[in-house]
Each structure stands twice: as structure tokens, then as C-alpha cells.
Amino acid sequence: MEFQYGESYFGVANFAKSLVELAVQQLSNLNTHKALDLGCATGRASFELARYFDQVTGIDFSARFIQHGVQLAKHKTIHYSMTVEGELMEHKACHLADFKLDAVADKVSFFQGDACNLKEEFSGYDFILAANLIDRLHHPKDFLSDIHRRLNVGGILMLTSPYTWLNEHTPRSEWIGGFKQNAEKFTTLDGLKVLLAPHFEMIDTPRHVEFVIRETQRKFQHSVSEVTLWRRKV
């Protein structure tokens, strides 16, 4: 909740809002009927997308995260606690009105689901955001090979990731990149180009967007995601 709706730290802007602001630059020639936010967590990007799209679907593997999004969409307010140090907690509240998102909340629907095994009903989207998702999937290659079926031809897929491949999340055989192949470095971007080439073309140059996650009052994670945009061609 704090990462998506709380304070900004060390001058780093809100990650979800920054991603949607980047995406908006590509919307001038795009239908804006339906958007999908995969790995939506507690829904900030879903609500931000609802400023521009008629319908937004937010899907996350975590039912707990989804419950927070549902509560925000319904009641426009949610209370949460965060660690200060040790057992000391700070109690906070999030109000969609503070972000001028309360007026678009009724456009957003949240569902629990597995990005690698989506139900058939989740298709026909004009824009799909998968933020910091691929390096936490159990079968990211399957996800990338299937995602075109969820997107209309001409639609845009936005991928972001810090590419922190870990065996605890993704078996080594499923990594998209981050290793040597034929004695040459093979990056995740190289892998994305290969896997997405049959159905997508990359638009714009990759961007780097920072994000900060607070763990305690004095401990933070400061990371950088690479952002790529892909248009479905067939």
C-alpha cells in the first residue's frame, strides 16, 4: 500500500503513476476501450489507467492484494499499517480522492489470477501493462508466447522489470536472459526480442524508471526497471 499510494522517498516519483504517464504518450493512435493491468498488486496503476480507458481489469496472483484493490474501488478509502522499527507500527490511510481517482474507480474490476494461465475471458484489450512481473513468474516464456492472444492487433504491451532472476521464483531453464549463450552475453532484452518477434514490434527505445520500496523507517529498496513497449502486429 505504501509503495503504491504512500509517500515518495529520495525524490523518486510514484512508480505506477510514472509508468502510466509514459504509456499515455502512445495513446494518440490507440483505441482506449479496454486496458489490462497484470500483476496489479493493490491497484494504483489500474486506477491511473482508468483516467484514459473505458474499462480496466486488474489481475494479481495475490488474493490479499486484490482485496485491497476491491476495497478501494468500493469504499474509496483503506487503512493500513507499516513498520517503523521492531514492533513499532505507523497507521496510515489512503483516500482515492487525494489522487483524484475516486471519480474513475467504477471503471476498474479486480480479479485473482495467474498471469501464466489466464482465463479466456481476459482478452480483447487495447493496452496491457505487466509491471515488474516477468521475473516473478514460474513460466515467463509461456506468458510471453501467449500474451498476444489477449491483445487486439495494433494494441500495445508495456513490460517493466529490474530483471532480478531468482531460482526461488523462476526455474533457471525459464529465465528469459541474464546468462551467456554461445559464450556471449544474452540479456533479458535479447530474450524478449526473440520471444515477442512473431507477434510484436518494439516501439520507442527502452526507458529506465526508478522505484523505491520502504521496508522500515530506515530501510529501503532502491531499484531500476527497464521499460519496453511493444505493438502487436499480427
Side-chain angles (χ1 to χ4, degrees):
M1 287 299 300
E2 181 69 7
F3 174 50
Q4 296 213 326
Y5 301 95
E7 299 176 40
S8 295
Y9 298 98
F10 309 109
V12 177
N14 180 275
F15 184 65
K17 190 171 187 295
S18 296
L19 294 182
V20 174
E21 288 173 349
L22 276 177
V24 168
Q25 299 174 19
Q26 305 293 332
L27 298 186
S28 58
N29 297 314
L30 187 72
N31 290 329
T32 54
H33 179 47
K34 291 174 61 178
L36 173 61
D37 181 11
L38 277 172
C40 65
T42 56
R44 177 63 184 272
S46 303
F47 290 121
E48 292 288 346
L49 286 168
R51 297 183 192 269
Y52 309 97
F53 289 85
D54 301 326
Q55 300 175 32
V56 179
T57 305
I59 298 178
D60 199 276
F61 191 75
S62 168
R64 186 178 181 185
F65 283 167
I66 291 299
Q67 288 171 3
H68 292 318
V70 169
Q71 185 174 339
L72 271 174
K74 183 176 182 179
H75 301 293
K76 313 298 192 294
T77 297
I78 194 169
H79 297 270
Y80 63 99
S81 300
M82 49 194 290
T83 301
V84 176
E85 59 178 86
E87 298 177 349
L88 301 179
M89 305 295 290
E90 177 182 359
H91 304 288
K92 302 187 73 172
C94 166
H95 308 283
L96 285 185
D98 292 344
F99 310 103
K100 299 181 179 179
L101 292 170
D102 51 321
V104 299
D106 61 347
K107 295 182 180 182
V108 184
S109 300
F110 292 103
F111 300 90
Q112 191 276 336
D114 182 351
C116 296
N117 188 27
L118 290 174
K119 295 179 180 179
E120 288 301 319
E121 65 192 83
F122 299 119
S123 59
Y125 294 98
D126 304 301
F127 178 84
I128 296 177
L129 169 63
N132 292 359
L133 178 69
I134 59 171
D135 61 349
R136 290 297 178 266
L137 295 177
H138 49 88
H139 287 90
K141 293 178 182 178
D142 290 348
F143 166 74
L144 292 166
S145 298
D146 178 76
I147 195 62
H148 69 279
R149 298 196 304 111
R150 315 294 175 170
L151 192 64
N152 295 328
V153 174
I156 291 176
L157 169 67
M158 180 183 234
L159 298 175
T160 90
S161 177
Y163 306 148
T164 51
W165 298 105
L166 298 169
N167 283 316
E168 63 189 88
H169 299 294
T170 311
R172 170 64 177 76
S173 60
E174 283 292 317
W175 291 9
I176 305 303
F179 47 78
K180 285 193 174 182
Q181 184 169 284
N182 300 321
E184 298 290 335
K185 291 181 180 179
F186 191 79
T187 68
T188 303
L189 183 58
D190 293 329
L192 290 174
K193 289 177 179 178
V194 171
L195 288 166
L196 294 175
H199 300 282
F200 290 90
E201 59 183 357
M202 190 167 70
I203 56 175
D204 208 351
T205 55
R207 309 282 188 92
H208 293 134
V209 178
E210 299 174 82
F211 62 95
V212 172
I213 300 175
R214 171 179 159 162
E215 294 186 20
T216 72
Q217 183 174 265
R218 296 177 180 83
K219 184 181 178 185
F220 300 81
Q221 297 179 33
H222 187 177
S223 307
V224 179
S225 265
E226 184 166 77
V227 180
T228 54
L229 291 157
W230 310 80
R231 179 179 289 111
R232 184 183 172 189
K233 57 186 180 180
V234 292

